[in-house]
Amino acid sequence: MEQPIFWSDQLAYGVSKKFEDRETHTCAAGVSPSGKVHIGHLREVITVDFVVKSLQKYGYDTRFIYSWDDYDRFRKVPESVPDEWEQYLGLPLAEVPDPWDCHESYARHFESQLEEQLEDLQMDVEYIRQSEMFGDSAYADEIRTAMRNRDKIREILNKYRKEPLEEDWFPLRVYCHECGRDETDVLEYNGNFRVEYRCRNCGDRREIDFKENNSVKPPWRVDWPMRWHYENVSFEPGGKDHSASGSSRDTGEQIQRAVYETEPPVYQMYDFISVKGVQGKMSSSSGNVVTIDDLKEVYPPEMIRFLFSETKPNKEFNIPFDEDIISLYQKFDHVENVYFGEKELSNDKKERHLKRVYELAMVDIPDERPVRAPFDHLAFLAQTRPKDDWRTTAIKSLKKTGHVPEDISEKGKEQIVARMEKALRWAKDHAPEKYRYDINDEVPEKVAEELSDEQRKAMRKIVENLREKEFEDSGKLDDRLFGIKDETELSTGEFFTTAYRCLLNRERGPRLSNFIMGLGEDRVADILDSI
């Protein structure tokens, strides 16, 4: 395996070198289902997926595990949840009722959302619910190892604490058997599986055997390396907040080596992502989130993957819902053209990189290049053509404007219509005003009154030409429009501004020939004929 150039291939290369003796590479991700899982969390999942697919490319067996940390405590009531849910603070998330009464628990409500949203993103994920793992005492031996090595763990953690942990500190939290909360203190440990605890909330005090009991959990800084060891994890990324010196990643590596005497996984820090129009860091508890389903409204699955494949994980980036979405679609189409050899690059390394970007975005590579058309033009067509005519009149218009081939297949039509669906949703919900089209049924009376004789003459000439013949393509119509302009005393700007005011009641619009063919020559002639 030679040193690769693409970032996930490079990480896979590092994994293969660090763990040469492993037959299967386990790659891990996870989150606490404390609220809506937003697109910031998607970066972790998709980073792992890319590394998994890179390992598979090089012939390695893989296991992609995603941990639902639903045995974490319920820490805060999100804004979308009734205030009375404060009564459940301190309970495991898996034991908090679902406020919407549609799933067996609060945790499962949010877990199911993400699992459903990931279904068409080409990932093979094995979900692990930590409430079940702890409920089955799966980690009992690892917890015992941590308890027996608590002095080592305390020493590691104290290096990064302003106030050192007390001598009687234990790396274990107990959910009280009486009230269910984790507001407890471990009082005694017998060196094996038995601990005595006292609850600060209800006063309960008892001894339990955590090999037979489902009510204990190490704190996060111990829990994370414990699971790396248990699952034999080869790769797991982490956010910026987990990656600084003294962070949970830093101490986790030290704890795994010192306590479990195994090597921590290859690590990749990933930076934050943001959405234009959403201020600040996304937060499940505040409700300031954009979900994967929100992305799917305007991006198909392959473009969602493209957003992440073309950007290294340690680079911050924005996901546009504004005008920049047009250039992003253009970039995707460019990369696709490079992959299918329709665009040659002089830089071979750059070409190989872009082809790998495309492979990881698409996963299932089509046999031939899909039929594409510019996103902004499709947004215009989608707004100005009845939806049940998209496969006929819209396609006919796109042939004339040269955006699709004359012999477009049924599959190609489906590809165009699918992108039109996204473009229409974007136009309705997110587009700036200049990309929203409200076509006049007739020239507005106020506009008609303000037209000069020369402007009226120009518009009538457009009508005459559109009535006389059907133009084969936008190039021929372009030539005729400029010919009409030259037959008048209007400047180029005045000529086109007049047409846009009559048709759109605004001074600018798309290229006029494309606009006319998109709207339909007869329809444009009827509008201008109303002057």
Side-chain angles (χ1 to χ4, degrees), residues 186-197:
V186 174
L187 304 176
E188 297 289 342
Y189 171 56
N190 76 343
N192 200 20
F193 297 107
R194 301 189 70 83
V195 296
E196 183 181 353
Y197 77 86

Side-chain angles (χ1 to χ4, degrees), residues 13-21 249 257 263-266:
Y13 179 85
V15 168
S16 71
K17 290 300 181 184
K18 182 171 184 177
F19 302 109
E20 291 181 322
D21 59 335
R249 170 67 197 192
R257 290 188 176 109
E263 275 297 301
V266 171

Side-chain angles (χ1 to χ4, degrees), residues 420-475:
M420 286 181 72
E421 293 272 8
K422 304 299 182 187
L424 180 60
R425 177 59 61 187
W426 172 74
K428 286 183 174 180
D429 295 346
H430 306 287
E433 186 61 34
K434 66 179 180 178
Y435 294 102
R436 300 185 183 190
Y437 298 100
D438 187 10
I439 309 300
N440 295 328
D441 294 325
E442 58 182 27
V443 177
E445 184 177 342
K446 186 174 186 300
V447 172
E449 290 174 354
E450 295 174 352
L451 294 179
S452 67
D453 289 343
E454 203 65 21
Q455 288 172 322
R456 290 174 183 274
K457 174 184 173 182
M459 295 304 101
R460 281 197 295 269
K461 281 184 174 292
I462 292 177
V463 173
E464 290 170 6
N465 278 267
L466 294 179
R467 298 281 194 211
E468 284 176 4
K469 69 171 184 174
E470 183 176 338
F471 291 87
E472 295 178 9
D473 56 53
S474 57

Side-chain angles (χ1 to χ4, degrees), residues 21-59:
D21 59 335
R22 292 185 181 176
E23 295 182 1
T24 298
H25 289 299
T26 297
C27 301
V31 72
S32 177
S34 56
K36 272 191 177 180
V37 181
H38 54 67
I39 59 171
H41 298 124
L42 176 59
R43 189 160 209 185
E44 177 171 314
V45 186
I46 210 162
T47 297
V48 176
D49 182 67
F50 289 148
V51 173
V52 165
K53 287 178 170 54
S54 291
L55 285 164
Q56 291 171 347
K57 178 187 177 184
Y58 296 119

Side-chain angles (χ1 to χ4, degrees), residues 275-312:
V275 176
K276 289 195 173 180
V278 177
Q279 300 297 319
K281 181 181 175 183
M282 284 175 282
S283 166
S284 297
S285 60
S286 69
N288 185 35
V289 300
V290 174
T291 67
I292 300 171
D293 274 350
D294 293 328
L295 278 185
K296 289 180 180 178
E297 293 284 342
V298 295
Y299 292 105
E302 64 271 16
M303 281 204 63
I304 294 175
R305 293 183 63 86
F306 176 74
L307 287 164
F308 295 89
S309 67
E310 69 146 354
T311 308
K312 291 182 177 180

Side-chain angles (χ1 to χ4, degrees), residues 304-508:
I304 294 175
R305 293 183 63 86
F306 176 74
L307 287 164
F308 295 89
S309 67
E310 69 146 354
T311 308
K312 291 182 177 180
N314 60 351
K315 301 294 184 183
E316 184 176 0
F317 74 97
N318 292 319
I319 297 179
F321 278 68
D322 62 358
E323 187 174 2
D324 285 351
I325 194 174
I326 297 170
S327 60
L328 190 60
Y329 268 86
Q330 290 172 341
K331 184 186 289 187
F332 176 83
D333 292 349
H334 168 73
V335 172
E336 192 166 61
N337 285 335
V338 170
Y339 184 86
F340 285 98
E342 297 185 16
K343 177 75 174 179
E344 292 186 5
L345 301 181
S346 57
N347 187 321
D348 179 65
K349 185 176 179 180
K350 175 75 170 178
E351 184 173 321
R352 285 190 291 125
H353 171 77
L354 291 182
K355 286 184 176 181
R356 194 71 181 115
V357 167
Y358 184 75
E359 288 172 353
L360 284 162
M362 295 298 290
V363 182
D364 289 334
I365 309 296
D367 295 331
E368 57 184 21
R369 183 189 180 280
V371 180
R372 309 295 190 193
F375 187 76
D376 52 339
H377 187 66
L378 293 183
F380 160 68
L381 284 180
Q383 292 175 80
T384 56
R385 297 276 181 171
K387 196 168 183 179
D388 55 4
D389 285 347
W390 284 1
R391 293 178 66 89
T392 53
T393 58
I395 296 295
K396 181 180 178 182
S397 166
L398 289 166
K399 288 179 182 179
K400 287 188 172 186
T401 54
H403 289 121
V404 302
E406 283 290 333
D407 60 347
I408 183 173
S409 65
E410 288 303 310
K411 185 175 182 180
K413 291 177 183 179
E414 291 173 7
Q415 291 162 344
I416 289 295
V417 168
R419 184 174 280 196
M420 286 181 72
E421 293 272 8
K422 304 299 182 187
L424 180 60
R425 177 59 61 187
W426 172 74
K428 286 183 174 180
D429 295 346
H430 306 287
E433 186 61 34
K434 66 179 180 178
Y435 294 102
R436 300 185 183 190
Y437 298 100
D438 187 10
I439 309 300
N440 295 328
D441 294 325
E442 58 182 27
V443 177
E445 184 177 342
K446 186 174 186 300
V447 172
E449 290 174 354
E450 295 174 352
L451 294 179
S452 67
D453 289 343
E454 203 65 21
Q455 288 172 322
R456 290 174 183 274
K457 174 184 173 182
M459 295 304 101
R460 281 197 295 269
K461 281 184 174 292
I462 292 177
V463 173
E464 290 170 6
N465 278 267
L466 294 179
R467 298 281 194 211
E468 284 176 4
K469 69 171 184 174
E470 183 176 338
F471 291 87
E472 295 178 9
D473 56 53
S474 57
K476 288 184 172 56
L477 179 56
D478 252 342
D479 292 341
R480 188 67 203 109
L481 289 172
F482 278 99
I484 294 171
K485 188 272 298 180
D486 290 340
E487 294 169 11
T488 71
E489 297 179 2
L490 300 178
S491 67
T492 300
E494 190 176 7
F495 175 81
F496 285 101
T497 296
T498 302
Y500 292 130
R501 290 188 66 207
C502 291
L503 296 169
L504 288 170
N505 206 23
R506 63 170 76 166
E507 296 192 352
R508 291 181 178 84

Side-chain angles (χ1 to χ4, degrees), residues 4-18:
I5 61 173
F6 186 73
W7 65 262
S8 69
D9 295 337
Q10 291 172 344
L11 286 168
Y13 179 85
V15 168
S16 71
K17 290 300 181 184
K18 182 171 184 177

